[in-house]
Amino acid sequence: MSQTLSSLPAADGFRMPGEWDDHAGCFLVWPERTDNWRDGAKPAQRVWRQLIETIATAEPVTVLVSHRQYQNARGQLPPHVRLVETTTNDAWVRDTGPTFVRDGDGAVRGVSWRFNAWGGLRGGLYFPWDADDLVGPKVCDLERVPVYQPDLVLEGGSIDVDGEGTVLTTEECLLNPNRNPDLTREQIESLLHAHLGTTKVIWLPRGVHLDETDGHVDNMARFAAPGVVMLTWTDDESDPQHARSAEALAVLEAATDAQGRPLRVVKLAQPGPLHMTEEEAAGIDVVPGSQPREAGERLAGSYVNSYVGNGIVVLPVFDDPNDAAAVAAYEELFPDRRILTVPGREILLGGGNVHCITQQVPSGR
């Protein structure tokens, strides 16, 4: 069992590295909820298999899977992918798993935030979420690293760091009263710095239009390198996303990072807009306590929601006219990495994308 620490990461000399730093591996959770993944989760599992095989070409992959799905997942996944039987509520390991931090000597530790399914009883997306709230400590056990367990409700997709002192987030999510209603903005900033080893927060007002996570930043804007931010964008002023992206752009262009550098912003045109079809909605089980899925509802599609791995970037694509431009932008942003694509629609139907269902473990000693 991992040692639970009572100190603070920053005080112990630890910080969260940028995602582009070397990884020791990547975690995912095998999908199976039929009230979130259509047609018995089989279409989603096919995409998971492709994503897992892609990441596993570059770094070790561990997949958490229930006892019900263990044999199915083992039969679908390559033998070099590690499977661990684990109880979870759903497959969003970015949000339920730990955030890893590392010190100057290469020691790695985990930060296991509290999880309440994106809002608890005030707008959360499913109930119960108790198994997902334990994923963080369980992953730290598997990695044999000590764990910090702050009394802060936070999902990994709600933050993004440059590894050099700056953290990016949204007011829409972190200041939402359904997360930490008793904490002020200043108290939340202090907790972020204490656990991520950062010194500056850049607050964007909102995330992607109709993002059911209450505006996670990893779907809206992320660091591609220190001083470089990629931003979901649309030129269509009649689209509700335009105002959100424009206000984020204004904040980013006026900001400097923790090192005092201005930010270069790279706009990534959104796919679509995309909407759920009648066939897709009809394939999802209707269960009390879960997020309803209805035909015609707009999906929060974004090319920002990618995974940066060892020598690769895995980018979701949507059979959309903007796919090619997104790939080209990534090739410029990450010239030293192979840009690999996976179909993003099935993941998007469940409420997120590639970044939301992956969690990197930084390399260490």
Side-chain angles (χ1 to χ4, degrees), residues 307-331:
Y307 180 75
V308 183
N310 289 344
I312 64 169
V313 180
V314 187
L315 173 67
V317 291
F318 305 92
D319 193 21
D320 185 88
N322 286 326
D323 286 353
V327 172
Y330 269 83
E331 288 173 343

Side-chain angles (χ1 to χ4, degrees), residues 65-328:
V65 59
S66 75
H67 71 279
R68 295 178 298 276
Q69 282 288 315
Y70 185 89
Q71 287 185 308
N72 174 42
R74 184 70 283 169
Q76 292 199 49
L77 298 175
H80 61 281
V81 171
R82 179 174 67 158
L83 264 62
V84 179
E85 187 178 309
T86 309
T87 302
T88 65
N89 297 116
D90 206 355
W92 306 105
V93 73
R94 175 68 54 180
D95 293 344
T96 62
T99 296
F100 288 98
V101 292
R102 186 177 60 200
D103 72 3
D105 295 325
V108 174
R109 295 177 178 177
V111 180
S112 179
W113 317 97
R114 288 176 53 209
F115 178 74
N116 74 350
W118 310 276
L121 300 180
R122 300 178 63 180
L125 301 184
Y126 52 72
F127 179 88
W129 57 80
D130 55 328
D132 274 352
D133 195 30
L134 292 175
V135 170
K138 288 179 178 179
V139 169
C140 291
D141 271 355
L142 288 170
E143 290 299 298
R144 292 184 169 88
V145 298
V147 59
Y148 302 93
Q149 295 189 272
D151 187 19
L152 180 69
V153 176
L154 184 141
E155 306 92 39
S158 70
I159 55 172
D160 195 70
V161 301
D162 65 354
E164 296 186 1
T166 316
V167 57
L168 195 61
T169 190
T170 69
E171 296 171 345
E172 182 180 12
C173 183
L174 256 62
L175 302 186
N176 195 310
N178 66 12
R179 301 301 206 280
N180 301 285
D182 299 327
L183 296 179
T184 66
R185 176 191 183 115
E186 291 71 26
Q187 288 172 321
I188 291 173
E189 280 200 13
S190 179
L191 286 166
L192 289 176
H193 294 328
H195 290 89
L196 300 174
T198 50
T199 57
K200 181 164 187 176
V201 181
I202 297 176
W203 292 91
L204 303 184
R206 297 180 288 176
V208 170
H209 178 55
L210 297 182
D211 187 332
E212 62 193 30
T213 65
D214 300 315
H216 271 191
V217 80
D218 73 344
N219 207 38
M220 179 68 168
R222 291 175 59 208
F223 287 105
V228 182
V229 175
M230 45 188 177
L231 173 67
T232 295
W233 187 259
T234 177
D235 288 324
D236 182 359
E237 295 185 7
S238 68
D239 189 321
Q241 182 58 40
H242 179 79
R244 289 171 170 261
S245 294
E247 66 190 11
L249 179 64
V251 170
L252 292 167
E253 288 184 335
T256 55
D257 64 17
Q259 306 299 320
R261 293 172 295 214
L263 301 173
R264 179 167 74 92
V265 181
V266 177
K267 299 175 183 176
L268 297 181
Q270 68 179 4
L274 306 174
H275 299 83
M276 185 173 291
T277 67
E278 289 188 10
E279 179 184 0
E280 289 165 343
I284 301 168
D285 290 353
V286 178
V287 176
S290 294
Q291 179 77 356
R293 305 288 186 199
E294 297 180 0
E297 70 179 47
R298 179 164 169 169
L299 305 169
S302 167
Y303 295 108
V304 171
N305 206 312
S306 58
Y307 180 75
V308 183
N310 289 344
I312 64 169
V313 180
V314 187
L315 173 67
V317 291
F318 305 92
D319 193 21
D320 185 88
N322 286 326
D323 286 353
V327 172

Side-chain angles (χ1 to χ4, degrees), residues 337-362:
R337 297 172 195 263
R338 292 178 294 144
I339 309 304
L340 307 174
T341 62
V342 295
R345 188 172 179 92
E346 289 298 335
I347 315 172
L348 180 58
L349 291 172
N353 229 290
V354 168
H355 195 252
C356 306
I357 61 171
T358 52
Q359 180 60 262
Q360 73 276 5
V361 184

